[in-house]
Amino acid sequence: MKIEKNSEGGVTTVHLIGHFQCEHIGELRNQLEQNGPRFVLDLRELTLVDADVIRFLGTCEVDGIGIVNCSPYIREWMKQEQKE
């Protein structure tokens, strides 16, 4: 997985690229903590995730982190996990 950051207007956009699996969650969490309270996760180039990542993304969203450009299958999986 590759992480790219872009800051504009006080908001940092974190672009996730490639395969995001559970072993990358800690790295992403560190990146988010370093970027202050206002950030957005851009999932446009995210190609593969696992169940732990889906739960993590759901938690991020509940905590107020914006998630943009999310593929329909990831969004639906997140909704299913939240119901359980």
Side-chain angles (χ1 to χ4, degrees), residues 12 21-23 34 62 67 74-75 78-79 84:
T12 300
Q21 297 174 316
C22 65
E23 61 264 18
Q34 294 173 6
V62 167
I67 296 179
I74 292 174
R75 177 64 64 197
M78 287 170 61
K79 287 179 186 176
E84 294 178 9

Side-chain angles (χ1 to χ4, degrees), residues 26-79:
E27 177 184 347
L28 178 58
R29 191 173 280 133
N30 289 338
Q31 293 282 332
L32 297 176
E33 289 172 1
Q34 294 173 6
N35 288 302
R38 295 187 55 199
F39 52 87
V40 173
L41 295 176
D42 185 337
L43 308 184
R44 178 176 308 170
E45 298 181 63
L46 194 62
T47 56
L48 184 66
V49 296
D50 64 21
D52 290 327
V53 170
I54 292 295
R55 289 190 220 37
F56 173 75
L57 292 173
T59 300
C60 287
E61 197 166 51
V62 167
D63 290 344
I65 298 169
I67 296 179
V68 298
N69 300 314
C70 185
S71 72
Y73 97 90
I74 292 174
R75 177 64 64 197
E76 185 59 33
W77 195 359
M78 287 170 61
K79 287 179 186 176

Side-chain angles (χ1 to χ4, degrees), residues 2-6 12-17 31 45:
K2 183 175 177 184
I3 298 172
E4 293 181 352
K5 295 183 284 183
N6 180 27
T12 300
T13 300
V14 179
H15 300 273
L16 304 179
I17 302 166
Q31 293 282 332
E45 298 181 63

